[in-house]
Amino acid sequence: MDQAERLRNIIKQQNTRQHLAQVITVTSGKGGVGKSNVSVNLAIQLSRLGKKVIVLDADFGLANIEVMLGLRPKYNLADMMFHGKTVKDIIAKGPENIGFISGGSGLREMTNLTRDQIQSLVLSMYELDQVADVVIIDTGAGISDSVIDLVMCSAQVLLVATPEPTSITDAYALLKTIQRQENFDPERMKIQMIGNRTQGYEDGKELFHKLSTVSDKFLQVEMEYLGSIPDDAKLQSAIMRQEPVTIAYPNSPAARAMMELALQLENGNVQGDPVPSKGLSGLLARMFRGKHS
């Protein structure tokens, strides 16, 4: 029995469990557009709406989210994979009851796992599905293999972009890379754009129009507009304080916009998401199925 078949059998055995977390992958075409800020603050606002939220920092090798939260987790994902720790061991407690998992040594290393390690990881991720309502995955920026792997295995993707021409160009490059993947299926992936550092509602809509027009015409990749976050000086002040803006300045324009986005995500999930989702364990299963088949 090969690794892919063995993994499918594990998943089939575990699919009797009813609770699966909503997995939201947050990405961007370039760095510096506020992607990690969006991930952290959305997590906090969703937690305030009564959701059990865990943030997975998949920007491997960096510690942006740790800095934003002012946390120094004792363990990370690599400790679970290679040092015998469990999922519960590596979940650090963050503000507003959110959970946080530091990425550790990198996704490339995990593509070379043995059969037993694959089984252990998948079973551990099913455990995470049972303790979270929402898992937010903060990817690295750009179009590296690790970013594309995560995005391609995701059913719900939030693409963060700013009105800067370079951000729009790089966001389009990301969409183009996704569209060119052999296993890209637009029916199985919902892509929603968030405009960041906008000058108002119309600015955000214009940004979405620019990006969606070219993606529709040249890539046949459809996006939805989730909303925008205004350019807010309080956001930079919160970063300097190593606090999320939703905690440091909960009534600021940026914090209020984050709550609107959280409500949009919650309402969309309540109404029924047409995109099939198998939780975080399903995401990893699809990734390893492609890598080890």
Side-chain angles (χ1 to χ4, degrees), residues 129-176:
D129 277 334
Q130 298 301 308
V131 299
D133 297 317
V134 181
V135 177
I136 295 179
I137 302 176
D138 183 63
T139 75
I143 55 175
S144 66
D145 288 346
S146 61
V147 171
I148 298 303
D149 283 343
L150 276 171
V151 172
M152 290 305 300
C153 292
S154 302
Q156 187 169 9
V157 177
L158 302 186
L159 175 61
V160 181
T162 70
E164 298 174 3
T166 52
S167 175
I168 299 172
T169 301
D170 289 347
Y172 177 78
L174 175 66
L175 293 171
K176 185 176 181 179

Side-chain angles (χ1 to χ4, degrees), residues 59-78:
D59 196 351
F60 300 104
L62 300 176
N64 289 341
I65 292 182
E66 293 179 26
V67 173
M68 289 178 192
L69 295 175
L71 294 176
R72 293 181 64 86
K74 187 175 182 180
Y75 302 114
N76 56 43
L77 193 60

Side-chain angles (χ1 to χ4, degrees), residues 33-35 38 160-163 194-198 207 228-230 235:
V33 299
K35 170 183 56 61
V38 170
V160 181
T162 70
I194 295 176
N196 196 21
R197 300 175 192 155
T198 62
L207 169 59
S228 63
I229 304 162
L235 188 56

Side-chain angles (χ1 to χ4, degrees), residues 12 29 50-52 56 63 91 126 141 148 150 152 163 166 180 182 198 204-205 210 212 218 230 234-235 249 259 264:
K12 192 178 298 183
K51 303 294 184 182
K52 296 178 181 177
L56 170 60
I91 299 175
Y126 271 101
I148 298 303
L150 276 171
M152 290 305 300
T166 52
R180 288 184 171 181
E182 185 177 351
T198 62
K205 288 291 289 184
K210 288 179 180 178
S212 63
F218 298 107
K234 293 296 186 184
L235 188 56
Y249 305 102
M259 178 55 80
Q264 290 280 357

